[in-house]
Amino acid sequence: MTRRVLIKCDRKVHFIKEHEIIFVEAAGNYVHVSIGTDSLLTRSSLNRLASLLSGERFVRIHRSAIVNLDQICHVEPQSGGEYLLTLHGGKQLKASRRHVGELLRSMRGRMHQQELLLA
């Protein structure tokens, strides 16, 4: 069964399939939910939205961002312990030093469930 998340935006309620969400970013008292080339702006907290999303698919990478693990194309270590994530489609997000451990654990967990190819 496909999980769905209800997002209120522009006086409408959008039924979004969880796997369609690319990333989520906080914007003050609002949250941007990135879906393909679209973005929905909803009045909510990042913590509230995080509680609705599957912990197997989504991980917090920054105090103001959550990413869909399936959307990560590659990661690059940066100075200061941060990582730069490049998503399918080219969007780049920073994973803060505080959240890198959780990101890497989640990625390893997903890799054990999927094919692993090492060059």
Side-chain angles (χ1 to χ4, degrees):
M1 184 171 165
T2 302
R3 288 181 50 128
R4 291 181 162 221
V5 179
L6 304 178
I7 306 290
K8 293 179 187 176
C9 177
D10 296 330
R11 298 176 19 180
K12 298 177 190 172
V13 177
H14 299 263
F15 295 83
I16 307 300
K17 293 177 184 172
E18 192 179 58
H19 71 269
E20 294 176 338
I21 299 172
I22 298 170
F23 65 93
V24 180
E25 282 185 306
N29 293 329
Y30 293 85
V31 176
H32 284 280
V33 180
S34 177
I35 304 156
T37 57
D38 293 331
S39 179
L40 300 175
L41 183 65
T42 186
R43 186 169 175 86
S44 181
S45 71
L46 196 61
N47 285 335
R48 169 79 174 118
L49 196 51
S51 73
L52 301 174
L53 298 172
S54 164
E56 294 175 8
R57 181 181 302 250
F58 292 90
V59 65
R60 191 164 204 147
I61 60 166
H62 194 275
R63 66 183 173 139
S64 62
I66 297 170
V67 70
N68 181 338
L69 291 166
D70 294 334
Q71 294 295 324
I72 299 172
C73 183
H74 64 269
V75 297
E76 300 172 53
Q78 303 289 296
S79 63
E82 294 181 333
Y83 274 67
L84 183 65
L85 283 65
T86 301
L87 308 182
H88 297 289
K91 173 72 174 171
Q92 293 186 316
L93 299 171
K94 281 200 177 187
S96 70
R97 184 176 56 202
R98 178 178 179 179
H99 294 284
V100 163
E102 181 181 355
L103 169 66
L104 296 176
R105 279 190 299 278
S106 295
M107 290 176 67
R108 283 188 202 108
R110 297 283 289 181
M111 293 305 282
H112 290 299
Q113 298 171 5
Q114 300 172 0
E115 293 180 31
L116 178 60
L117 299 175
L118 297 176

